[in-house]
Amino acid sequence: MSRPAPHSAGPRRVLAATGLLALAALAAGCASPTGAASSAASTGSTVKIGIITSESGPYAPYGTEYLAGLKAGLSYLSKGTDVIDGHKVQLVVEDDADSPATAVADAKGLIGQGVEMIGGSVDSAIALQVAAVAAQNKVLDIAGPAAVDQLDNLNRYTFRSGRESYQDIATAGTFVGTLSGKKVVVLAQDSEFGTANVTGVKAVLGAQGASVSSVLVPLTATDFTPFTAKILAAKPDLLFVAWAGTNATSMWTALNQQGVLSATEVVTGLANVATYPATGPAGSKIEFLAHYFPGAGGGNAYETAMTKLVTESGGTVDLFTPDGFTAMQMFAHALEASPTDVDAMIKALEGWSFPGVEGQYTVRASDHALLQPEFEAKLTGSGTTWTPQLVKTVDPASIAPPAPAVPAWITSGS
């Protein structure tokens, strides 16, 4: 997936948001929500959940997707009342503008207002800093789409509602079966983003027995012939492409024209719907690892409800919409345990297994990793119109990151 360039901090903006109104027909037609009892009328206090995410800056589209899923989740779980377990739920949304300093200030401000639960980070660097604030102040933190692996086993207060990088890379490895003795080449740009992907693939697939090498391309490159020649000479069993830039279409065209796509298995991440045309004519020849795409969940009750509610509110379901819906399921489960006791919230979430948009999720107690399915997909279509098709669902256990023997917060005494 491409990573936009960092953006300077913009002005802070505070929004008070409650859930979308669900149609009575939807509430009656869907399976009853798991792990979040609802009440027709508020009998308890108002519970504020602080959401710190990107509403402006380069990650704004991701923040929009997350918020749409979050609000749909609240509407679904409360049957349109915004009341969960007798408590009126209010989402207090802060725009971090992709600025860590702004996000930290937002987190401290929300906690100062008495908010017991926060979450929503899109940017990985921001997610780590918000998590530190949550631990210092002993409040529950459920990060959003941020994929940084280091959120696992970071502190006892931090959880996540999305996938992590390890799961993405491990998913790619399942495309070639047993990795022992296999050759994997990473094609990436010679940048921090590119080298981080090389490091990640070596750590994940190399640990499973693959021999991992890389072909790094200068950011200014326009002729990809020398690099495709290196790939063909290496004769890899799997080419893992990690690309972030405006020349993606030229890169994919070169791989297609010079025979790379027919010579080996080629895999890359399936990003947002708007990026599908960037693969050009090569699109139908690539295998995609997918965190999510519309329809990946097979039309289960949660995916159907999320899609209906987001669409009726004028939005579109995309890559990170389920991360918001899942976050609301986790917030609601924590709220059922207690609206104010963070220890009770943590105890309720640790080890919790629940059905959701993508399938079955499990919050691993030892490090708070969120075990979940990922997907192998193909694109069909042409020009600017491409549709993802499910090839297979990857079992959560087969892509689970290694678990620590003892949680870090026990060994550190925090």
Side-chain angles (χ1 to χ4, degrees), residues 341-358:
D341 184 347
V342 68
D343 291 327
M345 296 176 189
I346 292 169
K347 184 177 180 180
L349 289 173
E350 288 183 337
W352 184 43
S353 186
F354 60 100
V357 173
E358 297 170 20

Side-chain angles (χ1 to χ4, degrees), residues 153-171:
N153 206 27
L154 184 62
N155 63 62
R156 68 185 297 261
Y157 301 94
T158 298
F159 295 78
R160 68 191 328 143
S161 66
R163 95 298 185 209
E164 59 187 276
S165 295
Y166 184 102
Q167 292 164 320
D168 284 346
I169 296 171
T171 297

Side-chain angles (χ1 to χ4, degrees), residues 65 271-278 318 384:
E65 295 167 21
N272 302 66
V273 173
T275 69
Y276 295 173
D318 213 321
T384 59

Side-chain angles (χ1 to χ4, degrees), residues 264-331:
T264 186
E265 191 94 4
V266 179
V267 61
T268 193
L270 187 66
N272 302 66
V273 173
T275 69
Y276 295 173
T279 55
S284 60
K285 301 178 182 180
I286 303 166
E287 298 291 336
F288 292 92
L289 66 92
H291 164 46
Y292 180 75
F293 58 85
N300 65 55
Y302 302 91
E303 184 177 41
T304 298
M306 178 189 74
T307 302
K308 183 176 179 64
L309 288 164
V310 170
T311 301
E312 288 177 346
S313 69
T316 303
V317 170
D318 213 321
L319 180 66
F320 295 126
T321 316
D323 293 4
F325 194 97
T326 303
M328 197 61 241
Q329 288 180 282
M330 295 174 71
F331 282 128

Side-chain angles (χ1 to χ4, degrees), residues 172-320:
T174 67
F175 295 5
V176 293
T178 301
L179 283 160
S180 181
K182 298 288 178 66
K183 292 182 181 179
V184 177
V185 171
V186 181
L187 174 64
Q189 290 157 305
D190 193 359
S191 64
E192 182 180 354
F193 172 82
T195 55
N197 274 274
V198 174
T199 300
V201 173
K202 287 181 177 179
V204 179
L205 303 189
Q208 298 179 43
S211 172
V212 181
S213 60
S214 62
V215 174
L216 295 178
V217 181
L219 291 168
T220 57
T222 55
D223 179 10
F224 297 97
T225 303
F227 310 104
T228 56
K230 288 182 179 180
I231 295 167
L232 291 169
K235 297 182 179 180
D237 298 290
L238 178 70
L239 177 66
F240 184 99
V241 180
W243 206 264
T246 57
N247 57 353
T249 301
S250 298
M251 180 273 296
W252 286 116
T253 299
L255 292 183
N256 188 31
Q257 292 177 345
Q258 295 174 42
V260 174
L261 298 183
S262 57
T264 186
E265 191 94 4
V266 179
V267 61
T268 193
L270 187 66
N272 302 66
V273 173
T275 69
Y276 295 173
T279 55
S284 60
K285 301 178 182 180
I286 303 166
E287 298 291 336
F288 292 92
L289 66 92
H291 164 46
Y292 180 75
F293 58 85
N300 65 55
Y302 302 91
E303 184 177 41
T304 298
M306 178 189 74
T307 302
K308 183 176 179 64
L309 288 164
V310 170
T311 301
E312 288 177 346
S313 69
T316 303
V317 170
D318 213 321
L319 180 66
F320 295 126

